[in-house]
Amino acid sequence: MNNLSSSLKDFKNTKDIHQPDIFRLNNSQDKASLSKLFDDSKIRFVSDEIDGQLQELIKCQNPSVMIGQDEYPELITKHLNGRDINEYGVWVYYAWSQRLVHLLDEEEFITVRTNRNRNKITTEEQNKLKTKKIGIVGLSVGQSIALTIAMERTCGELRLADFDTAELSNLNRIRTGVHNLGLNKTVIAAREILEIDPFLNVKIFSDGLQEGNMDDFFLGEGKLDLFIEVCDGLDVKIASRFKARELQIPVVMDTNDRGMIDVERFDLEPERPIFHGLADGLDPDSIKNLTNEEKIPYILKMIGADTMSARLKASMLEVKKTINTWPQLASSVTLGGAATTDVCRRILLDQFHESGRYYVDLDEIISDKIPG
């Protein structure tokens, strides 16, 4: 049982860690720091597939050449140019899992990891996206969006805000394991993103988005280029839109019902009413005086009570009666991740300019045909 107690203590000590450590062994200080991790038995698993990554890099650099498997050792030796392969690239340490991984360094890593994007996303477009900053508030639906954005590398920086922790009932739609129950949703999302790509800049706001950190979230170390709002709280929905409009930042929202994507181009229309005018009469001050019951008519108007699916509409009547809250499905959340990422990419690349509401309603698109 002493081992169990020790392990539980280690879990508590690492539950907020979400940033990996990156070591370059041609730096003596990095080499000493990595050696200390080994000495302190902090590393339990080592993954070294640098040879395969170098093969992929060489293949990416020579797309028109058919390279035989037996040719790679010589080509890799030539590429290393006398450098020790064990010191080539970077070693990335993930403290929460005690894993050490050998990877290509940033520029080569990004080249290989985004190679299959081309030319649906050109090299020039990928370089432009690398400079963009996206903020996401709400890490249930937002987790799927954040992961899809990270996989596609639709930006270079993600700011994630949510005050909530993962519960068992969240696992019907949040992609994570039971070992992460009790962790903040921002930490879970950040870890998974940085396990995909340790060179992405991920900042977390584990107290959620609120008045005290609004400026830091939207402006800290550079203004956001795009804001994604997928949270439950009406107060945050209103306050964040007023802030985005003030700063002329476009807002995208996914409702995960009928595949609805909502776009507000405050960057192009700085006087545009928030929620397309559906929140008329609400502002960050007036909403503070409303009870939860008084907020319901505004919520129904903003999300479109007349356009929501029949099952969600029926479920809304059962909240706090036969169900705890409104339902969300993994399939809808995953679809939202894809649709939102696609819309955000095109906004950031100046390929889409409209405000409005759009539906990717699979019940309508893929359905039984009624005989004529």
Side-chain angles (χ1 to χ4, degrees), residues 26 42 55 63 80 85 87 122 129 155 159 168 171 176 193 214 223 228 250 253 268 288 296 299 320 367:
N26 56 4
K42 297 293 186 182
Q55 288 189 33
L80 291 173
I85 194 170
E87 296 188 357
T122 66
L129 292 172
C155 65
R159 299 176 193 168
L168 185 56
L171 301 194
T176 193
I193 288 166
M214 195 82 71
K223 187 175 82 170
I228 299 170
M253 175 182 73
L268 304 179
K288 294 176 182 177
I296 291 175
I299 294 173
K320 301 302 180 185
S367 61

Side-chain angles (χ1 to χ4, degrees), residues 186-285:
T186 56
V187 171
I188 293 170
R191 286 180 177 183
E192 185 155 5
I193 288 166
L194 292 163
E195 286 173 353
I196 294 168
D197 189 333
F199 300 108
L200 279 169
N201 190 9
V202 181
K203 299 178 180 178
I204 67 172
F205 294 74
S206 296
D207 294 326
L209 188 59
Q210 51 190 270
E211 187 176 348
N213 64 17
M214 195 82 71
D215 283 341
D216 191 26
F217 182 85
F218 278 94
L219 295 169
E221 297 183 32
K223 187 175 82 170
L224 288 180
D225 296 286
L226 189 143
F227 173 56
I228 299 170
E229 185 276 298
V230 278
C231 69
D232 294 335
L234 182 59
D235 302 53
V236 176
K237 286 179 178 291
I238 298 299
S240 63
R241 275 172 176 75
F242 270 81
K243 191 68 175 180
R245 187 174 66 176
E246 173 193 333
L247 298 171
Q248 298 183 29
I249 297 171
V251 178
V252 178
M253 175 182 73
D254 168 63
T255 63
N256 73 91
D257 181 62
R258 297 189 59 217
M260 195 267 271
I261 301 291
D262 188 275
V263 182
E264 297 169 277
R265 294 303 304 267
F266 296 128
D267 54 326
L268 304 179
E269 306 169 82
E271 302 301 320
R272 184 179 183 84
I274 68 167
F275 273 112
H276 319 292
L278 297 172
D280 189 38
L282 288 183
D283 60 46
D285 292 323

Side-chain angles (χ1 to χ4, degrees), residues 99-357:
R99 294 183 183 275
L100 182 68
V101 186
H102 194 182
L103 298 173
L104 297 172
D105 210 339
E106 184 170 4
E107 184 177 346
E108 293 179 344
F109 179 90
I110 295 172
T111 295
V112 175
R113 199 176 79 77
T114 62
N115 185 59
R116 300 294 178 89
N117 288 353
R118 297 169 58 192
N119 280 322
K120 285 193 170 183
I121 303 174
T122 66
T123 300
E124 292 74 19
E125 289 170 338
Q126 201 79 65
N127 288 335
K128 183 176 182 179
L129 292 172
K130 186 167 62 174
T131 68
K132 302 300 182 181
K133 299 175 175 63
I134 296 177
I136 304 175
V137 59
L139 269 297
S140 289
V141 177
Q143 190 220 31
S144 181
I145 296 170
L147 291 178
T148 309
I149 284 173
M151 284 189 284
E152 200 169 273
R153 224 174 200 278
T154 304
C155 65
E157 180 177 314
L158 277 164
R159 299 176 193 168
L160 310 176
D162 198 314
F163 62 85
D164 208 0
T165 58
E167 299 175 328
L168 185 56
S169 60
N170 297 147
L171 301 194
N172 77 317
R173 64 194 186 279
I174 294 180
R175 182 187 137 175
T176 193
V178 292
H179 60 286
N180 282 330
L181 294 176
L183 291 183
N184 192 282
K185 291 176 181 177
T186 56
V187 171
I188 293 170
R191 286 180 177 183
E192 185 155 5
I193 288 166
L194 292 163
E195 286 173 353
I196 294 168
D197 189 333
F199 300 108
L200 279 169
N201 190 9
V202 181
K203 299 178 180 178
I204 67 172
F205 294 74
S206 296
D207 294 326
L209 188 59
Q210 51 190 270
E211 187 176 348
N213 64 17
M214 195 82 71
D215 283 341
D216 191 26
F217 182 85
F218 278 94
L219 295 169
E221 297 183 32
K223 187 175 82 170
L224 288 180
D225 296 286
L226 189 143
F227 173 56
I228 299 170
E229 185 276 298
V230 278
C231 69
D232 294 335
L234 182 59
D235 302 53
V236 176
K237 286 179 178 291
I238 298 299
S240 63
R241 275 172 176 75
F242 270 81
K243 191 68 175 180
R245 187 174 66 176
E246 173 193 333
L247 298 171
Q248 298 183 29
I249 297 171
V251 178
V252 178
M253 175 182 73
D254 168 63
T255 63
N256 73 91
D257 181 62
R258 297 189 59 217
M260 195 267 271
I261 301 291
D262 188 275
V263 182
E264 297 169 277
R265 294 303 304 267
F266 296 128
D267 54 326
L268 304 179
E269 306 169 82
E271 302 301 320
R272 184 179 183 84
I274 68 167
F275 273 112
H276 319 292
L278 297 172
D280 189 38
L282 288 183
D283 60 46
D285 292 323
S286 65
I287 197 172
K288 294 176 182 177
N289 299 319
L290 298 180
T291 65
N292 288 336
E293 290 75 18
E294 290 171 332
K295 292 176 183 178
I296 291 175
Y298 288 101
I299 294 173
L300 292 175
K301 185 179 179 181
M302 285 187 292
I303 65 175
D306 56 337
T307 57
M308 69 175 62
S309 68
R311 292 205 177 201
L312 180 59
K313 192 178 296 185
S315 296
M316 295 288 280
L317 300 174
E318 295 299 317
V319 173
K320 301 302 180 185
K321 296 177 182 178
T322 62
I323 58 177
N324 292 324
T325 185
W326 58 80
Q328 296 175 308
L329 296 178
S331 53
S332 299
V333 169
T334 303
L335 175 65
T340 303
T341 298
D342 183 89
V343 169
C344 292
R345 181 184 69 248
R346 290 186 287 126
I347 289 173
L348 293 173
L349 292 176
D350 198 28
Q351 296 168 353
F352 172 58
H353 309 91
E354 301 294 325
S355 295
R357 289 193 162 176

Side-chain angles (χ1 to χ4, degrees), residues 16-72:
D16 295 325
I17 296 175
H18 64 281
Q19 291 287 354
D21 296 309
I22 298 177
F23 301 100
R24 293 173 175 85
L25 298 191
N26 56 4
N27 178 293
S28 59
Q29 187 172 347
D30 281 8
K31 183 179 285 190
S33 297
L34 181 58
S35 179
K36 188 174 189 310
L37 286 175
F38 277 109
D39 292 342
D40 294 343
S41 300
K42 297 293 186 182
I43 298 171
R44 297 182 61 191
F45 308 99
V46 178
S47 175
D48 186 359
E49 293 294 326
I50 195 68
D51 192 76
Q53 294 169 55
L54 284 167
Q55 288 189 33
E56 281 199 277
L57 176 64
I58 291 166
K59 192 187 301 183
C60 291
Q61 294 171 337
N62 301 276
S64 63
V65 180
M66 294 294 293
I67 303 174
Q69 197 63 34
D70 59 338
E71 298 178 79
Y72 279 113

